[in-house]
Amino acid sequence: MMTVAASRELKDGSVCFVGIGLPSEAANLARATHAPGCVLIYESGTVGAKPDVLPLSIGDGVLAEHADSVVSVPEIFNYWLQAGRVDVGFLGAAQVDRFGNINTTVVGPYDSPKVRLPGAGGAPEIAASAKEVIIMLRHKPRAFVEELSFVTSVGHGAGGDSRKELGYTGAGPTALITDLGVLRPDPETRELTLVSLHPGATADRAREATGWDLRVADETTTTDQPTEEELRVLRDLRARTEEAKKA
Amino acid sequence: MREVGLREAVAEFVRDGDAVALEGFTHLIPTAAAHEIIRQGRKDLTLIRMTPDLVYDQMIGMGAASKLVFSWGGNPGVGSLHRFRDAVENAWPNPLEIEEHSHAGMANRYVAGASGLPFAALRGYVGTDLPKVTKTIAPIKCPFTGEELMAVPALNPDVSIIHAQQADSRGNVAIWGISGIQKEAVLSARRAIVTVEEVVEELTPHPFQVVLPAVAVDAIAVEPKGAHPSYADGYYDRDNVFYEAWDPISRDRGEFRSWMERHVLGTEGFGEYLEGVRREGMVAK
């Protein structure tokens, strides 16, 4: 449901900068269903990637094979991302806070971390320069935290207009998709607010799984059930990927 | 440029205490060269790389590095680098200083280095915690518009090492497919070693091909399958079996050491390593 809900956020024809894992699955589901004209960019330099199986890493050959172009890493970050040619940045995270700021660096103090995570990668610039950002993260208290151990990538900063004051051009996170529902920023405070629940999920379950006092919209909607086609395409994609992994 | 054996190239061009960049963005990772550095027992290296993965896990775990300059460290598609984490979290086998950036920051540092400039400017980093922990990120004002940007210093490794598909008989190097930051890594370095799948008489033009002219390279060494377990477009695929097999081996210090002794320290070269991991079922069929 999480992948399906995230894939629906992508409009046909948009230029999408994709992180590996769940974002990549959602973006490729979108490309195989309602958004065949999406231009998928991966940070290894593939522009217009059309993988028929999901890549296991950001630089798999399957991303380059049918891409519109393959360019260098400085070109991807400078000409594409920083220059504002990316409509949507699609990110995962280790931790997120109520303003959609992301941590992928450390849990605990920086100098003596409890957990050392992989680090920033491409996320800070995706968060900074994509016109909008969609974050995907499973709903758990240790991932949805009151205060991040480390701000790796800026979402809405301290809320309100703080993102704009930092000089960033893009709108920042417009949706946080979880396995329970969809959160969107309040138009003024920019605090992420639960606006939609996936079938079977409740606001109470979402509150329990959130490490801060979660704001819930006065009237939440229910996410539409996955269509037959969405399910079929997703199952096929996963099956092909499993098959390719074995080969 | 000279064509030499990898052992000779590493002996001549990689010294204790050097800043060394072994680049490869998932594709064309110079594994054979990393193993040779470990075999020759280099110490106190500053390792530079955007995406440190298994070979840097191996070098860090064997105590070759005292510092890591990077932007994302993990086992791609699998999980954590356990030797890297053990060094950062527990200083094993020795403390590892880290200097961390974003991909955009690292890419621009190489571009500045390759351009002969002292620094590069970019729009990111503002509002993140990275400038608080990384001294090589500092604010700068655009002299024309007054816009606040972030500056990062050039990277100029003592030696950069990359793996490529082919070199021709005059020493020009051809890379195609995903070519990441390899060109900038070579052009920013004081010395450069390139390992290749093969040497051909004349290069055949390929789509997305990058050519590094012979004058940019000090030594070329032929190492077939030298990027294993990563891949070389047109030669062999990524070996996902190995990436997954690495996870349990690298979790345990003893297991890791004995694996390295068996497959790297106890071998003469990369051909013997490939035979060994094949025999132990660590590679895709």
Side-chain angles (χ1 to χ4, degrees):
Chain A
M1 190 67 239
M2 187 174 170
T3 303
V4 170
S7 84
R8 290 174 185 158
E9 297 284 322
L10 272 195
K11 291 184 202 77
D12 194 18
S14 58
V15 177
C16 181
F17 204 111
V18 190
I20 213 73
L22 288 170
S24 175
E25 188 177 70
N28 280 291
L29 174 61
R31 197 176 57 79
T33 53
H34 66 278
C38 259
V39 177
L40 304 190
I41 295 182
Y42 288 80
E43 67 192 18
S44 52
T46 58
V47 178
K50 301 168 199 72
D52 56 351
V53 298
L54 294 171
L56 299 170
S57 87
I58 208 83
D60 277 14
V62 69
L63 295 174
E65 219 171 330
H66 303 290
D68 298 332
S69 185
V70 178
V71 301
S72 72
V73 167
E75 176 170 339
I76 275 293
F77 283 99
N78 290 349
Y79 303 174
W80 287 86
L81 207 40
Q82 189 170 257
R85 291 189 168 86
V86 172
D87 297 316
V88 185
F90 228 136
L91 291 174
Q95 289 185 329
V96 69
D97 70 12
R98 68 174 77 211
F99 294 116
N101 302 300
I102 290 174
N103 174 20
T104 54
T105 303
V106 287
V107 178
Y110 185 76
D111 292 325
S112 53
K114 212 156 73 184
V115 184
R116 175 65 229 194
L117 299 164
E125 279 67 33
I126 299 173
S129 299
K131 286 178 194 150
E132 61 175 307
V133 174
I134 298 164
I135 305 167
M136 290 180 78
L137 190 59
R138 284 186 203 287
H139 224 131
K140 284 180 198 148
R142 60 175 185 164
F144 286 62
V145 296
E146 178 74 49
E147 195 177 350
L148 297 179
S149 300
F150 193 95
V151 178
T152 314
S153 310
V154 175
H156 293 293
D161 286 333
S162 67
R163 184 185 161 86
K164 217 178 190 173
E165 283 154 17
L166 293 171
Y168 288 141
T169 45
T174 52
L176 168 58
I177 317 279
T178 84
D179 48 338
L180 299 179
V182 180
L183 290 75
R184 294 194 195 275
D186 177 274
E188 291 196 355
T189 66
R190 303 290 197 280
E191 181 173 340
L192 293 171
T193 306
L194 182 69
V195 295
S196 180
L197 282 158
H198 300 332
T202 63
D204 280 345
R205 254 182 77 201
R207 278 195 196 95
E208 278 164 32
T210 306
W212 67 83
D213 186 14
L214 177 68
R215 271 195 59 189
V216 179
D218 295 338
E219 285 190 27
T220 56
T221 56
T222 305
T223 317
D224 287 338
Q225 288 279 8
T227 65
E228 286 295 317
E229 199 210 351
E230 283 168 334
L231 286 178
R232 181 184 53 77
V233 170
L234 187 57
R235 282 188 195 121
D236 286 354
L237 187 61
R238 284 179 178 167
R240 282 202 305 276
T241 303
E242 276 309 305
E243 207 46 48
K245 225 170 136 181
K246 279 186 224 143
Chain B
M1 190 291 305
R2 284 177 296 137
E3 190 186 328
V4 294
L6 182 56
R7 189 184 296 178
E8 193 187 335
V10 167
E12 183 176 349
F13 292 111
V14 185
R15 295 155 204 168
D16 284 353
D18 271 355
V20 183
L22 290 103
E23 279 291 355
F25 208 99
T26 312
H27 181 209
L28 294 170
I29 292 165
T31 313
H35 282 183
E36 188 52 37
I37 291 171
I38 294 169
R39 237 180 247 119
Q40 294 193 19
R42 288 293 175 281
K43 291 273 176 260
D44 196 27
L45 301 176
T46 291
L47 295 179
I48 303 170
R49 180 149 162 215
M50 291 183 64
T51 54
D53 63 359
L54 308 196
V55 290
Y56 273 24
D57 210 30
Q58 294 171 357
M59 292 172 86
I60 290 165
M62 294 306 284
S66 56
K67 184 174 176 184
L68 179 69
V69 182
F70 75 110
S71 41
W72 189 91
N75 180 343
V78 179
S80 288
L81 293 182
H82 302 292
R83 295 298 96 226
F84 161 60
R85 275 183 60 173
D86 204 11
V88 174
E89 293 169 13
N90 309 306
W92 192 92
N94 48 283
L96 182 73
E97 190 191 335
I98 55 172
E99 178 178 329
E100 67 176 306
H101 278 267
S102 66
H103 280 351
M106 286 292 283
N108 279 290
R109 296 186 68 186
Y110 275 119
V111 168
S115 308
L117 287 170
F119 75 94
L122 64 158
R123 196 174 276 122
Y125 287 132
V126 183
T128 74
D129 284 335
L130 284 161
K132 293 182 196 159
V133 299
T134 303
K135 289 192 186 76
T136 47
I137 303 171
I140 188 171
K141 194 175 272 218
C142 168
F144 306 106
T145 63
E147 185 182 353
E148 286 273 353
L149 299 166
M150 284 292 187
V152 289
L155 276 172
N156 291 106
D158 293 308
V159 55
S160 284
I161 305 177
I162 64 162
H163 187 74
Q165 281 102 337
Q166 295 177 343
D168 70 13
S169 52
R170 288 166 297 159
N172 302 301
V173 173
I175 308 168
W176 62 87
I178 290 170
S179 54
I181 196 79
Q182 280 95 315
K183 184 174 189 170
E184 290 77 10
V186 166
L187 294 179
S188 64
R190 296 182 177 92
R191 307 184 287 277
I193 302 172
V194 181
T195 56
V196 294
E197 288 296 320
E198 62 173 333
V199 170
V200 297
E201 193 54 38
E202 282 288 326
L203 296 176
T204 314
H206 285 268
F208 315 128
Q209 186 170 47
V210 173
V211 175
L212 282 165
V215 291
V217 179
D218 294 287
I220 287 175
V222 178
E223 285 290 338
K225 269 208 126 177
H228 179 270
S230 82
Y231 70 106
D233 196 340
Y235 287 82
Y236 46 92
D237 292 333
R238 182 178 132 109
D239 189 345
N240 290 313
V241 173
F242 189 95
Y243 280 90
E244 282 181 8
W246 182 249
D247 189 77
I249 291 164
S250 60
R251 269 176 201 272
D252 183 84
R253 291 175 183 174
E255 182 91 359
F256 162 75
R257 274 283 164 90
S258 86
W259 190 92
M260 291 300 293
E261 271 156 29
R262 215 158 58 243
H263 293 295
V264 181
L265 296 179
T267 55
E268 285 291 312
F270 207 62
E272 228 179 278
Y273 149 87
L274 286 170
E275 273 172 41
V277 289
R278 201 172 293 128
R279 211 166 37 235
E280 290 188 13
M282 280 185 73
V283 298
K285 301 239 160 41

